[in-house]
Amino acid sequence: MSEQKTYEMLWDCKFCGAKKNLGKTHRHCPNCGAAQDPSWRYYPSDEEKVAVEDHQFVGADVICPACSTPNSAAANNCMQCGAPLASGQRAKTLEAQIKAEGQVFQVDDLQARLRQQNDAAVGQAPQAQQAKTGSIPWLPVVIGVIALLISGGVIFALTYTRSTNVYVTGHEWSREIRVEQYMSVADSAWCDSMPADAYSVSRTREQRGSEQVPDGQDCRTQRTDNGDGTFREQQVCETRYRSEPVYDDMCRYNVDRWVYSRSVTADGVSVNDRIEWPDTNISRACSSLGCEREEERGETYTLQLRGSGDTAYECPVEFDVWQATGIEDAFTLSVGITGDPRCDSLTRAG
Ligand SMILES: [Zn+2]
Ligand SMILES: [Zn+2]
């Protein structure tokens, strides 16, 4: 924001055709004496604008309800006919104009604007009617209904299950030990967050981010219609920014770490098996490069099942249940819409 200046609007006399009368100075036509019509006001070009010194802005003009003369908003009675102004309407103001730096304001084309307003007034009635009958929002309704059907279908598919009778056809067990190896691993990080035990370090300069740096100003000039025969002009400036890359040191290095290398498994198909952990052949604890160690252990016990129509299912169960279940034992099982077993519903039949 900076200082603002006030200038006269121009107006044309619609009775005698006198052009470029001054909005504030000429409340009546200097040629024929007719009252100014505020709707015939327009912005002048930059060349023709006339400054108003020490302008006291009191608001948009009030139009005399008796004789249509525009009066200062501060007046109580019409300066032309003396009628009280309390019920008078305010003068309509024009849209603000904006120009970028280096551009010039041209004079408004008043005749073109009046023609446009006239056309709009003539075309308004049938247009409004059409908008009313033709604007049933059927498309959003259809989309909404389809979305409801789809989400309803999805919820149904996710929750629908049927209960079926199954019997046990077999057992399976498996145990797994994950093995890790102590290895030299290549990695990279910003040097300020590199691990302390990194070695074989090489540094490069790389872009880590960017920052916004002020880079001059974008200014434009705005004209605003005061509605009292004048307009104010002011410059509005905004700081412009450009993006600057920010560089930092990137480190490439090696570190020695335990890394997953293999899994050792044991499995079987009988409750009578001797269930043991598999042998990883790791002989001793060590922590030099190439050494191995045992990590996570996991075990699963699975029942093989058969339902109506010879459909086969598999369900993991607790070891105790697995061990206590015999071939041909009967259960009930919930099955989803795609035939997927819901194993947490597996229940021994009555
Ligand atoms: Zn005139
Ligand atoms: Zn009057």
Side-chain angles (χ1 to χ4, degrees):
M1 290 288 191
S2 65
E3 96 282 14
Q4 66 180 40
K5 292 199 73 176
T6 303
Y7 300 92
E8 301 241 18
M9 296 291 282
L10 298 183
W11 61 282
D12 290 354
C13 176
K14 63 181 179 186
F15 296 102
C16 75
K19 292 190 186 309
K20 298 183 179 171
N21 305 311
L22 298 175
K24 180 175 163 57
T25 307
H26 300 139
R27 305 303 277 188
H28 294 87
C29 174
N31 188 43
C32 73
Q36 181 185 138
D37 181 349
S39 66
W40 283 52
R41 288 174 184 162
Y42 52 93
Y43 291 105
S45 68
D46 271 332
E47 286 177 344
E48 290 176 315
K49 67 188 179 188
V50 175
V52 179
E53 301 302 336
D54 305 321
H55 181 60
Q56 285 271 319
F57 179 60
V58 290
D61 284 342
V62 180
I63 315 292
C64 171
C67 75
S68 299
T69 300
N71 285 269
S72 162
N76 291 319
N77 292 82
C78 176
M79 61 172 173
Q80 177 74 4
C81 70
L85 294 171
S87 64
Q89 290 204 316
R90 292 292 176 125
K92 286 208 177 73
T93 54
L94 299 180
E95 267 179 52
Q97 290 188 330
I98 294 169
K99 67 163 185 171
E101 238 167 335
Q103 287 184 326
V104 177
F105 281 122
Q106 304 294 333
V107 64
D108 265 356
D109 189 341
L110 170 65
Q111 290 308 319
R113 194 181 81 221
L114 293 173
R115 267 199 307 278
Q116 224 168 40
Q117 280 170 358
N118 205 35
D119 290 352
V122 169
Q124 214 160 26
Q127 236 167 22
Q129 197 113 42
Q130 203 175 26
K132 229 172 228 172
T133 53
S135 68
I136 297 165
W138 60 271
L139 189 62
V141 170
V142 168
I143 290 171
V145 167
I146 290 172
L148 259 178
L149 286 175
I150 289 173
S151 56
V154 167
I155 290 168
F156 176 78
L158 287 176
T159 55
Y160 171 82
T161 57
R162 63 191 162 82
S163 186
T164 187
N165 296 318
V166 294
Y167 63 93
V168 175
T169 58
H171 295 76
E172 260 178 31
W173 64 270
S174 75
R175 283 185 159 185
E176 178 189 17
I177 301 175
R178 289 163 63 87
V179 175
E180 291 183 340
Q181 190 171 27
Y182 201 57
M183 295 168 69
S184 176
V185 181
D187 206 348
S188 65
W190 295 108
C191 294
D192 57 14
S193 56
M194 183 170 62
D197 57 344
Y199 57 92
S200 302
V201 179
S202 68
R203 288 163 188 266
T204 50
R205 219 47 198 160
E206 287 183 24
Q207 188 178 342
R208 187 166 186 172
S210 55
E211 60 179 343
Q212 298 298 308
V213 182
D215 185 25
Q217 286 196 314
D218 284 321
C219 292
R220 57 194 204 283
T221 306
Q222 181 167 326
R223 293 172 145 188
T224 311
D225 185 356
N226 285 326
D228 64 353
T230 68
F231 67 91
R232 58 186 187 277
E233 201 172 275
Q234 71 192 120
Q235 218 184 27
V236 183
C237 293
E238 282 165 4
T239 307
R240 185 168 53 221
Y241 292 91
R242 70 187 144 83
S243 185
E244 286 265 293
V246 176
Y247 292 93
D248 205 351
D249 286 334
M250 171 63 82
C251 280
R252 272 163 242 288
Y253 54 86
N254 280 58
V255 281
D256 296 339
R257 291 286 181 268
W258 289 102
V259 179
Y260 169 80
S261 67
R262 62 194 172 101
S263 285
V264 186
T265 58
D267 49 53
V269 292
S270 170
V271 281
N272 300 318
D273 288 343
R274 266 192 63 190
I275 297 170
E276 293 182 319
W277 289 102
D279 191 353
T280 56
N281 293 316
I282 298 171
S283 49
R284 60 187 181 87
C286 74
S287 59
S288 51
L289 283 176
C291 285
E292 285 189 322
R293 69 177 183 189
E294 293 183 6
E295 251 312 298
E296 244 181 308
R297 290 174 173 225
E299 54 196 318
T300 56
Y301 300 92
T302 307
L303 289 179
Q304 289 172 324
L305 307 158
R306 197 170 293 273
S308 61
D310 265 5
T311 316
Y313 304 102
E314 282 191 351
C315 278
V317 293
E318 293 293 320
F319 174 75
D320 294 346
V321 175
W322 183 81
Q323 205 184 29
T325 300
I327 299 294
E328 308 238 309
D329 282 5
F331 288 83
T332 58
L333 175 66
S334 289
V335 178
I337 202 164
T338 57
D340 49 313
R342 306 293 165 92
C343 288
D344 50 1
S345 72
L346 190 68
T347 314
R348 196 174 281 275

